[in-house]
Amino acid sequence: MNFKTQNISIKKGTKRLFLFSFLNFIVILIAVILIYFSSYFYNRMEDQSRSVTYKVNHLIVLLNAQINEDLKHNPGTEVLKTIDDITKDVHHLYYFLIKDKEFPMPLYENREELQAYYDEVALFVITLRKNMISFRTKTFQIIWAELILSALFSIFNMWEHIRWRRNNLRFMDDIRMGLVDIDHILRNQSPEMDYRSPIKESQHFFNYILEINRSIEFNKRIRDLSVFGSLDDIIEYVYSLVSVRMPCDRVALAFLNEDRNVIAETFYSAYNNVHLEQGFTLSLDKTSLGAVAASQSFRIINDLPEYYRSRKESISTELVLREGLRSSITIPMFFQSRCIGFVFFSSRELTAYNEEQATYAKRIIDLLKQKLYIEYILQNVIADTSQSFVTLMNRKDNETAQHISRMSRYSYIIAKKYSELYERQTPKFIREIFWYSPLHDIGKVGIPDNILLKEGSLTREEMDVMKGHVTIGEKVIEEINRRMSRSFSIPALNTAVEIISGHHEKYDGTGYPRGLKGEEIPLAGRIVSMADVFDALTSHRPYKEAFSIEQALDIIEKSMLEQFDPKVYRCFLESLKEIKKIYDQYGDS
């Protein structure tokens, strides 16, 4: 079927139909106007003709009386008045009724001339009556002709509409066949067509074409999404897409590593009560996700409590149930025929999802999986690179690897607690606190060994040199950040710069290098400062022994409390139980 030719035929038929409909309307309108004005003119002329006839009949009566009386050389006053009235009325009649025939003037002096004038007046009346009958006949003939012409146009217009309708239905049948193929391409279910109603059928057709257009625009928006926007940004974007089409309280992303462990990478949720956090790791063999990966399709669970009762060993399900989630969709991600991870869409409603919604979510993930995987690889490269810097620094500094492990975990715990109690932070920020807090003293690679490794107290001049490690560290990371920004749309190491620049600033403004005060200090710097000072107090150094946790807390309370953000300090205190576990696990050997 040639769609282009058929489409042109439909367009021509539509134009013809419109033209004949318009002409039909014009003909009917003209007919109505002519009938109205014909009726108006006819009634008016009939009234005037009746008036003239009445007055002429009256004149004939007067003249007849004169004929029967003695001849009067001058007409009577009543006769002259009647003739004057008749003359005025005759002038108002239309020419096609009187046909330029003027009313005869009274010219008689004897009985014979009076009789002749009488006959002439009677002849004028007869002519007027004949013309009136002729005008009435022609008027009705015109009206009938107009009505017949209008009826013919209406019949022709109806035939053209039927013909156009038939061609249009044939064209729509061909389009519908094409839509089946488009439907397969888009993997979308075609709406039911109501063939009994042309109006509903046309509406379905229009809505389906509109849906195809939306799908194309949707694919284009996702395709044009920036390559570098961090995994958290992409997951938040996915949440914004799905939440307008289906119930969704949480979107989570997990990757599958080479050891077949499923690692919770990041999430975006509409609530703060989070139990299954980033970093949660579980062997694929201990979950049901292996079957999902093998099926290469989505999985819908519309009753998570019942699912958990049937699989009590599912730790991850137990955690999401604590968050109040009741339904979920699990979508595996494949890259080069290998399962690389999973995306989870969850709702607090029971029976929240169906196959259409799962297909929609899978379509989004299929379009974004490459970006997600690239971002995952990039962030791991950046994290591994930062760890290499830490290793390099440890070879020169006298601080131990245990110090780095402890203070990075302390910082991570405090950041999570801050997000719970105060201002909600993104998983990306909390994760970067953990990654980049070990870089806080990276600038010490530029400090001379005689100062850096000195066992005794430093002089004022040596302390000024030592303080320069902050500026050195800033410059190193900012240069790396600047170079990376050439390739990525968002600077990758901003949090690292904030940690380095702010971890020696003090809340009361007495810190260095800039003497920032209060919330002028970046939040990342305030958090790492708390963790760093606590670990320094509880760690052994060549110039001092380690204080116990209780002694360290007492020192902070008595002489250092003004240095720290009160909110951060509260988060630190409320996390002491977890911090003590870290201290015991990674204590100095």
Side-chain angles (χ1 to χ4, degrees):
M1 182 65 191
N2 191 329
F3 287 102
K4 184 176 181 181
T5 304
Q6 185 73 314
N7 190 30
I8 292 173
S9 175
I10 293 294
K11 287 182 178 179
K12 288 182 178 179
T14 304
K15 290 180 180 179
R16 279 201 306 271
L17 182 64
F18 173 77
L19 177 62
F20 284 115
S21 298
F22 179 74
L23 290 176
N24 187 40
F25 171 75
I26 295 299
V27 168
I28 294 175
L29 182 63
I30 292 174
V32 171
I33 293 173
L34 290 178
I35 291 171
Y36 173 78
F37 280 104
S38 296
S39 175
Y40 172 77
F41 290 143
Y42 171 76
N43 291 334
R44 182 176 177 185
M45 286 183 283
E46 188 176 37
D47 290 342
Q48 292 176 345
S49 176
R50 188 179 296 109
S51 175
V52 170
T53 303
Y54 172 79
K55 292 176 181 178
V56 169
N57 287 338
H58 181 66
L59 177 61
I60 289 174
V61 171
L62 294 177
L63 292 176
N64 198 24
Q66 278 192 308
I67 292 173
N68 294 328
E69 294 177 0
D70 293 333
L71 180 64
K72 297 181 179 178
H73 293 287
N74 296 314
T77 302
E78 187 176 356
V79 172
L80 293 176
K81 183 177 182 304
T82 302
I83 291 173
D84 185 57
D85 292 340
I86 292 172
T87 303
K88 290 179 181 179
D89 286 341
V90 166
H91 284 309
H92 287 90
L93 281 174
Y94 293 89
Y95 72 94
F96 46 80
L97 290 181
I98 60 175
K99 294 188 176 179
D100 298 327
K101 182 178 180 63
E102 295 190 7
F103 186 76
M105 291 295 100
L107 297 172
Y108 57 88
E109 293 184 356
N110 52 45
R111 186 177 296 278
E112 289 75 13
E113 291 177 350
L114 177 60
Q115 184 65 46
Y117 178 67
Y118 176 89
D119 294 338
E120 188 176 359
V121 170
L123 181 62
F124 178 85
V125 173
I126 292 171
T127 301
L128 183 62
R129 287 176 178 171
K130 287 180 179 180
N131 290 345
M132 191 64 201
I133 293 171
S134 176
F135 171 73
R136 181 187 299 177
T137 302
K138 289 179 180 179
T139 299
F140 280 108
Q141 288 175 348
I142 291 172
I143 291 173
W144 276 108
E146 290 166 347
L147 291 175
I148 292 171
L149 184 61
S150 176
L152 289 175
F153 262 100
S154 298
I155 293 171
F156 184 78
N157 189 31
M158 186 179 299
W159 174 80
E160 185 70 17
H161 178 78
I162 294 172
R163 182 166 167 268
W164 174 85
R165 168 65 178 164
R166 182 187 60 196
N167 291 338
N168 192 30
L169 288 177
R170 186 184 304 125
F171 180 60
M172 289 183 69
D173 286 338
D174 295 332
I175 289 293
R176 191 180 297 109
M177 293 175 62
L179 288 179
V180 173
D181 295 332
I182 296 174
D183 178 62
H184 291 161
I185 294 172
L186 296 178
R187 298 179 182 178
N188 207 351
Q189 186 176 359
S190 175
E192 291 293 331
M193 295 284 191
D194 187 354
Y195 297 101
R196 296 170 297 175
S197 171
I199 296 177
K200 290 183 178 179
E201 182 181 353
S202 300
Q203 187 64 42
H204 279 307
F205 176 79
F206 173 78
N207 290 338
Y208 196 52
I209 293 297
L210 186 62
E211 183 62 29
I212 293 174
N213 183 62
R214 287 174 180 166
S215 297
I216 293 171
E217 288 295 324
F218 177 79
N219 292 353
K220 183 177 182 299
R221 282 173 55 200
I222 296 180
R223 184 198 67 196
D224 294 340
L225 186 65
S226 172
V227 173
F228 187 84
S230 84
L231 289 172
D232 304 278
D233 294 334
I234 297 178
I235 289 299
E236 183 176 355
Y237 179 70
V238 171
Y239 176 85
S240 69
L241 291 176
V242 301
S243 59
V244 298
R245 293 281 295 269
M246 63 186 192
C248 187
D249 295 304
R250 189 180 197 265
V251 179
L253 172 66
F255 283 101
L256 187 63
N257 67 7
E258 295 179 355
D259 298 327
R260 291 180 61 81
N261 288 325
V262 181
I263 304 173
E265 182 61 31
T266 187
F267 66 91
Y268 185 86
S269 69
Y271 53 85
N272 288 325
N273 180 32
V274 176
H275 291 276
L276 202 163
E277 299 176 325
Q278 61 266 31
F280 177 82
T281 303
L282 200 61
S283 173
L284 182 65
D285 299 331
K286 294 183 178 180
T287 72
S288 59
L289 295 177
V292 178
S295 71
Q296 298 188 11
S297 183
F298 55 77
R299 179 187 68 183
I300 299 175
I301 301 176
N302 271 323
D303 192 341
L304 281 171
E306 178 60 31
Y307 177 81
Y308 177 70
R309 283 191 289 271
S310 65
R311 299 179 59 89
K312 291 189 180 298
E313 71 276 12
S314 178
I315 301 174
S316 57
T317 305
E318 180 183 356
L319 293 175
V320 297
L321 285 175
R322 290 181 190 175
E323 297 181 19
L325 299 175
R326 295 295 178 265
S327 302
S328 74
I329 299 173
T330 304
I331 298 175
M333 293 187 297
F334 287 85
F335 190 74
Q336 295 180 347
S337 301
R338 181 173 66 89
C339 183
I340 59 173
F342 304 87
V343 180
F344 307 90
F345 299 88
S346 306
S347 171
R348 292 185 167 188
E349 300 176 15
L350 284 170
T351 319
Y353 299 119
N354 54 43
E355 289 197 3
E356 182 180 353
Q357 293 166 334
T359 301
Y360 172 74
K362 185 177 185 301
R363 180 174 152 216
I364 294 174
I365 299 307
D366 287 343
L367 290 169
L368 284 175
K369 64 183 180 183
Q370 187 171 359
K371 296 181 185 295
L372 289 167
Y373 194 48
I374 290 173
E375 295 296 338
Y376 174 66
I377 294 173
L378 285 175
Q379 74 174 23
N380 284 342
V381 168
I382 294 171
D384 290 343
T385 302
S386 68
Q387 290 303 313
S388 298
F389 280 121
V390 174
T391 302
L392 175 65
M393 180 185 66
N394 287 342
R395 290 181 179 178
K396 184 175 182 179
D397 196 5
N398 58 12
E399 292 184 342
T400 64
Q402 287 86 349
H403 164 69
I404 297 300
S405 297
R406 285 194 304 269
M407 67 86 54
S408 61
R409 284 168 170 77
Y410 294 161
S411 300
Y412 176 77
I413 292 170
I414 295 170
K416 282 202 307 179
K417 184 61 69 174
Y418 189 94
S419 182
E420 293 174 10
L421 297 181
Y422 297 107
E423 185 179 358
R424 183 177 179 181
Q425 303 299 314
T426 65
K428 174 189 173 186
F429 175 79
I430 298 172
R431 184 169 56 245
E432 288 181 343
I433 289 287
F434 177 72
W435 284 346
Y436 303 139
S437 54
L439 295 175
H440 66 290
D441 281 338
I442 189 67
K444 288 183 179 180
V445 297
I447 303 301
D449 289 348
N450 64 317
I451 296 176
L452 183 65
L453 303 177
K454 185 177 179 180
E455 294 188 4
S457 300
L458 299 178
T459 65
R460 179 175 296 179
E461 292 76 13
E462 290 172 337
M463 181 57 71
D464 290 339
V465 174
M466 179 63 81
K467 289 180 178 180
H469 80 277
V470 175
T471 305
I472 294 171
E474 279 183 334
K475 290 180 179 179
V476 171
I477 301 303
E478 283 178 346
E479 178 61 21
I480 297 174
N481 206 27
R482 185 179 64 81
R483 291 179 181 273
M484 292 179 67
S485 297
R486 296 175 183 174
S487 302
F488 308 127
S489 59
I490 298 176
L493 297 173
N494 278 358
T495 303
V497 174
E498 291 178 352
I499 288 172
I500 294 169
S501 66
H503 80 285
H504 278 300
E505 298 286 357
K506 297 180 180 180
Y507 203 73
D508 60 2
T510 60
Y512 66 89
R514 297 178 179 84
L516 299 180
K517 185 177 182 179
E519 295 189 2
E520 294 175 353
I521 308 169
L523 177 60
R526 284 179 268 154
I527 290 173
V528 172
S529 173
M530 182 78 250
D532 187 39
V533 168
F534 174 75
D535 192 71
L537 290 172
T538 56
S539 299
H540 173 76
R541 293 290 185 270
Y543 53 85
K544 78 169 190 68
E545 292 298 324
F547 294 106
S548 67
I549 291 178
E550 291 71 19
Q551 288 174 323
L553 292 175
D554 188 57
I555 292 171
I556 292 172
E557 284 280 354
K558 289 181 177 179
S559 59
M560 303 178 68
L561 195 57
E562 67 279 358
Q563 298 180 16
F564 305 112
D565 180 350
K567 294 180 181 178
V568 171
Y569 181 63
R570 180 194 170 192
C571 294
F572 165 74
L573 291 179
E574 296 203 10
S575 305
L576 273 178
K577 185 176 180 180
E578 295 176 77
I579 287 173
K580 287 179 178 179
K581 289 181 180 179
I582 299 298
Y583 177 82
D584 294 337
Q585 183 178 357
Y586 296 93
D588 289 328
S589 56

